[in-house]
């Protein structure tokens, strides 16, 4: 029983690390999406200013704006996928933690029962 308990404990640790990885990747994709959105907004704001080169090279500005908006979209899609993976990892972690707690309780109960039986056996031997 102890071997199973040890394996489940290690599996819980691995699942928690996997969940943390997906949470980190999710946050990274959201940050990248925010950065791309800010870049697009900045390009749009500077497009019509007098000091801008937007009047001379409008197609370059449009391409950069489109690229930034596309990166934002891709990062948001990736963040959505990572959010699903976080949810899956959370469910798996919870299931494994429950199994681990059950095995640990059962192991403790069996150990306690053995200790009681040993005490009863010792008491009987002393009485004989």
């Amino acid at each position: 029983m102890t071997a199973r308990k040890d394996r489940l404990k290690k599996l819980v640790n691995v699942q928690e690390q996997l969940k943390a990885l997906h949470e980190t990747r999710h946050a990274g994709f959201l940050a990248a999406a925010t950065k791309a959105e800010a870049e697009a907004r900045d390009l749009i704001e500077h497009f019509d200013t007098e000091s801008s080169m937007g009047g001379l090279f409008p197609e370059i500005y449009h391409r950069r704006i489109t690229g930034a908006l596309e990166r934002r979209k891709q990062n948001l899609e990736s963040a959505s996928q990572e959010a699903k993976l976080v949810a899956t990892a959370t469910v798996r972690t919870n299931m494994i933690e429950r199994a681990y707690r059950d095995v640990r309780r059962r192991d403790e109960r069996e150990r306690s029962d053995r200790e009681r039986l040993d005490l009863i056996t010792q008491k009987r031997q002393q009485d004989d």
Side-chain angles (χ1 to χ4, degrees):
M1 188 67 77
T2 303
R4 182 166 189 240
K5 182 176 80 171
D6 292 341
R7 283 193 315 267
L8 285 171
K9 185 176 182 179
K10 288 178 185 177
L11 193 54
V12 166
N13 288 335
V14 169
Q15 280 301 133
E16 287 174 345
Q17 290 173 351
L18 185 62
K19 180 181 169 187
L21 170 73
H22 290 304
E23 288 172 339
T24 301
R25 287 176 50 106
H26 178 256
F29 286 128
L30 289 178
T34 302
K35 182 179 175 185
E37 182 179 0
E39 179 184 346
R41 190 178 320 113
D42 195 39
L43 286 168
I44 291 168
E45 287 174 2
H46 288 93
F47 183 72
D48 289 330
T49 62
E50 289 180 19
S51 62
S52 169
M53 298 291 234
L56 296 174
F57 306 105
E59 62 280 339
I60 293 174
Y61 266 78
H62 289 294
R63 224 177 314 137
R64 286 190 62 200
I65 291 168
T66 302
L69 292 175
E70 184 60 34
R71 281 194 316 277
R72 176 186 176 272
K73 180 182 174 187
Q74 289 172 348
N75 282 310
L76 288 176
E77 288 172 2
S78 295
S80 175
Q81 290 297 320
E82 286 298 323
K84 291 174 186 174
L85 293 173
V86 168
T88 301
T90 300
V91 169
R92 284 185 183 148
T93 301
N94 290 342
M95 287 174 29
I96 295 168
E97 282 178 340
R98 274 193 299 271
Y100 171 69
R101 283 192 305 266
D102 290 345
V103 168
R104 193 178 70 212
R105 277 190 222 113
R106 195 174 317 128
D107 195 33
E108 289 172 2
R109 201 174 316 122
E110 288 175 4
R111 189 173 352 111
S112 177
D113 290 346
R114 280 193 303 272
E115 288 173 358
R116 274 190 237 117
L117 284 173
D118 288 346
L119 286 173
I120 292 170
T121 304
Q122 287 176 2
K123 177 136 173 91
R124 283 189 180 169
Q125 288 174 354
Q126 289 174 356
D127 291 343
D128 289 342

